[in-house]
Amino acid sequence: MLLLLFLCNFLFVVEAAPDADEVKYLPGLAKQPSFKQYSGYLSVAHGKHLHYWFVESQSKPASDPVVLWLNGGPGCSSLDGLLTEHGPFLIQDDGVTLEYNKYSWNQIANVLYLESPAGVGFSYSDDGNYKTNDTEVSMNNYLALKEFFRLFPEFSTNELFLTGESYGGIYIPTLAERVMEDSKLNLQGIAVGNGMSSYELNDNSLVYFAYYHGLLGSQLWADLQSYCCSDGKCNFYNNPNPNCSNSLGEVQDIVYSSGLNMYNLYAPCPGGIGRSLSVEGGQLIIRDLGNIFAQQKRTQMWNQKLRGLTSLHLSVRLDPPCTNSTPSNLYLNNAYVKSALHISPKALDWAICSAEVNLNYRRLYMDVKKQYLKLLGALKYRILVYNGDVDMACNFMGDEWFVESLNQQVQVQRRPWVYDDVDGRQVGGFIKEFDNIAFLTVKGSGHMVPTDKPIAAYAMFYRFIKKQPY
């Protein structure tokens, strides 16, 4: 009888895990939501615990798709996507108040925001070791998905879409490669926004982007053509010519160090042009590291310097340049909010990006062409690559070149796509469709498309999820 009672209690605990994770009251809202939401941990390999925040669909949660969302970095939190991009509520400047988002993606989907890898946001490892790499992260993200569906079996047969942004360009296709082999997961497609798809194509295209957006003078352009190009082909990626390297150094200074907002060329830089390193309240703040979402061209000496500095501080924050994460920091580190979200006492204070994860991350994939071709070869997944067209971190031209390099059959030639805005029907950007994959631009948007163009982003997402023409 005692054994039976123990087993019954054990089974009850397992079945009740999602109930224990339910967010009953979320501070900052004038009115609590009508949909259910959950926050807790998904335990994966080697004592790692990935924090998740799951918001059910506002429409038909029982039958609507499950959408996984991953922000990039590597080392940046997906809660930034929830609170500042396409979540059901958006953080306000006071760092206390949440306002409902009319263009939230959970209007038509159950959205799972996962903080990955361990060390990012509220995710943690039992041993405090946050060194990792692309392969380990894709495996742990897969294990986290499996654990999620174990805890939420009622969603296990729903359509599944994997979506992400920035370094999510690596996370999502490498995860999809694992998920597509699992017949128990109902994978339908992937969407990547302003993603890192190929370091070479991203670097080569950025120079063209900078020149044709008026950032490079005619003399510098002439030098680049002279030193980096031959026979009509330019190599701005790994050119051994020292004169080419010097000219590319000038390009990088203009793009990354002159005070331009690298995530949105035409947007101001919040807070002004910051310093590279500063200490606030005993916390080391690292800013302006250049393109932390793309290939980092810092010297080994600079990396060693940063690691030395971070080792002296218990709390290290990595702030992407020209972004304001203060409201999210204030909100998520509020004791009442952490309690509402069931945050473990073992978790570090929340930061938009983790310097420790970023500096110790090993990048294994220089491009993800193999993963895309494998997905396309299955002939059943819907794939969307979309880019805000004024982003310089992962520019639209590089991703367009990448999609073109997959050599898929063109179904719809490049054309404008339109959506209904508050001012009437508008051009959202441009679209080119191939067999099972589409490349789409969002006009006037930077790196974080739903932040800059929420109505257009929702229209795009709706058509992707509903499998409608763009």
Side-chain angles (χ1 to χ4, degrees), residues 276-333:
S276 294
L277 297 168
S278 62
V279 177
E280 298 172 8
Q283 184 177 56
L284 179 68
I285 314 297
I286 306 175
R287 296 189 181 92
D288 291 350
L289 292 180
N291 189 353
I292 71 161
F293 292 102
Q295 185 177 23
Q296 300 175 30
K297 299 197 171 182
R298 303 194 297 271
T299 64
Q300 186 177 4
M301 185 180 297
W302 175 239
N303 269 321
Q304 289 173 345
K305 176 185 176 184
L306 288 179
R307 289 194 183 95
L309 285 167
T310 56
S311 68
L312 298 175
H313 296 261
L314 293 176
S315 184
V316 181
R317 217 170 73 208
L318 178 63
D319 278 5
C322 295
T323 59
N324 178 18
S325 64
T326 298
S328 297
N329 265 293
L330 289 172
Y331 182 77
L332 290 170
N333 287 312

Side-chain angles (χ1 to χ4, degrees), residues 66 72 89 178 265 281 390 428 464:
V66 172
F89 11 75
R178 297 184 187 277
L265 175 58
V390 292
F464 169 69

